[in-house]
Amino acid sequence: MKIVAIDPGETTGWSVWDTETYTKIEGGQTPLWEFIDNLQIALMADEKEKMILEVTRPGALPFVGVERIVCEDWVIYQKEAEAGALNWDKCRTARGIGAIELIARMTGVPIELQGATIKDAAIAMGAEEQFVSPLHENRHENDSAMHAVYWMVNNRGN
């Protein structure tokens, strides 16, 4: 099965995987709404349109044929809220996740939201072997890899 794992944010990290071989097909970091547009276009494209994407929207190509979405969830942590860290925040990440959920509903592609708390477990499962260097510059793509590895290990055979 082909999945896309997503670390949503202003810079959205993503990675596409073949779950049969536990192989990363492609990954990257894309501005939030450009990523969402690419995902929507790819998942809603019919066979004829997929060929046109090569010319008109190459950023959508990695997402053609995705059968499941694994996305980090976004929550407001009490300590941050109490400290005023989110005062006047437009919560664009949460809006982006909502758009991804809508795309999943419209296309019938199952979606799983995971908390950021899975990262230690994902590292213990070997996610670091999939990291792209340099680490800091690629942290969003690497976060998406943690979500993918965590999902694949916990859903073997599904």
Side-chain angles (χ1 to χ4, degrees), residues 11-139:
T11 299
T12 296
W14 56 271
S15 51
V16 177
W17 299 76
D18 176 342
T19 63
E20 303 298 318
T21 61
Y22 296 92
T23 304
K24 182 172 158 185
I25 299 168
E26 193 167 344
Q29 299 182 141
T30 306
L32 178 65
W33 292 102
E34 180 182 337
F35 169 81
I36 290 169
D37 290 345
N38 287 338
L39 182 67
Q40 182 263 327
I41 289 165
L43 295 184
M44 296 186 86
D46 64 23
E47 289 304 314
K48 270 184 157 176
E49 292 169 326
K50 289 176 185 175
M51 296 177 72
I52 296 169
L53 289 178
E54 290 184 41
V55 175
T56 61
R57 194 71 183 222
L61 288 175
F63 313 119
V64 171
V66 161
E67 299 173 74
R68 177 173 297 272
I69 298 168
V70 178
C71 184
E72 183 174 297
D73 205 358
W74 187 86
V75 296
I76 297 173
Y77 295 100
Q78 183 177 354
K79 287 183 180 181
E80 287 181 13
E82 289 172 351
L86 295 170
N87 289 353
W88 309 107
D89 190 303
K90 294 186 183 267
C91 301
R92 286 174 46 89
T93 298
R95 291 177 182 187
I97 293 168
I100 293 166
E101 288 179 298
L102 180 60
I103 292 164
R105 289 180 58 116
M106 290 173 60
T107 60
V109 174
I111 184 170
E112 178 175 318
L113 298 176
Q114 297 176 342
T117 57
I118 63 90
K119 292 178 182 176
D120 288 338
I123 289 171
M125 295 171 177
E128 284 182 314
E129 296 170 19
Q130 303 295 329
F131 283 4
V132 177
S133 292
L135 296 178
H136 181 75
E137 289 84 344
N138 294 289
R139 65 190 176 279

